[in-house]
Amino acid sequence: MRGPIAPPQVPLAASRAEVFADLVQDSVDRLERRWPQLADIDFLVLEVPRLESRGGQAVWGDDAVPLGGIIPARDGRRARVVVYRRPVEIRTKGRDERAALVHEVVVEQVAELLGLTPETVDPRYGED
């Protein structure tokens, strides 16, 4: 017998990418209660960060693979916060740990974009 294991409306049918995107959205929803201006920022999930090219050689910006990043607003485009799914998944073991790391990354990127400390953006930052 071939076919889906569960109907589409059952959470089991959600892909890992969809579940991850939901974690990011949950984090954004949590922060928007305190920071309504986040409605003017786009939040994206990308699989992996791009490598920078320097002198014909592909390199990371620093020694560590980034978990997230920001793209400031310019040329009529809204500011964007990016969370990289695969690096976050690799560093976590379960859903709760992944949700906590996703929230940490979102808070850190929002703080950088707004020019604030992560503790100002979310007073519970670092407690999870």
Side-chain angles (χ1 to χ4, degrees):
M1 181 168 111
R2 300 223 183 244
I5 295 173
Q9 64 274 17
V10 176
L12 179 64
S15 70
R16 287 189 346 208
E18 291 168 331
V19 170
F20 191 89
D22 287 344
L23 292 176
V24 172
Q25 189 58 53
D26 290 346
S27 181
V28 172
D29 291 345
R30 185 169 146 190
L31 292 176
E32 274 184 341
R33 290 184 209 117
R34 182 177 167 101
W35 301 94
Q37 65 265 44
L38 295 185
D40 297 330
I41 298 172
D42 291 330
F43 290 84
L44 309 171
V45 174
L46 297 178
E47 290 296 306
V48 294
R50 291 186 184 158
L51 289 173
E52 296 175 19
S53 182
R54 290 190 198 140
Q57 184 119 353
V59 296
W60 292 115
D62 56 17
D63 291 338
V65 175
L67 302 179
I70 60 169
I71 303 166
R74 68 172 186 257
D75 301 330
R77 288 188 177 180
R78 293 162 41 130
R80 291 177 271 178
V81 170
V82 181
V83 180
Y84 300 114
R85 183 173 72 88
R86 293 297 297 143
V88 170
E89 285 180 336
I90 289 169
R91 287 169 178 77
T92 56
K93 292 184 178 142
R95 180 173 163 58
D96 291 342
E97 192 177 317
R98 188 166 299 126
L101 184 55
V102 163
H103 186 67
E104 235 177 71
V105 171
V106 170
V107 168
E108 289 168 357
Q109 300 310 312
V110 166
E112 185 175 335
L113 191 62
L114 298 178
L116 303 169
T117 64
E119 294 80 12
T120 303
V121 172
D122 183 357
R124 295 185 302 175
Y125 174 80
E127 290 179 11
D128 293 339

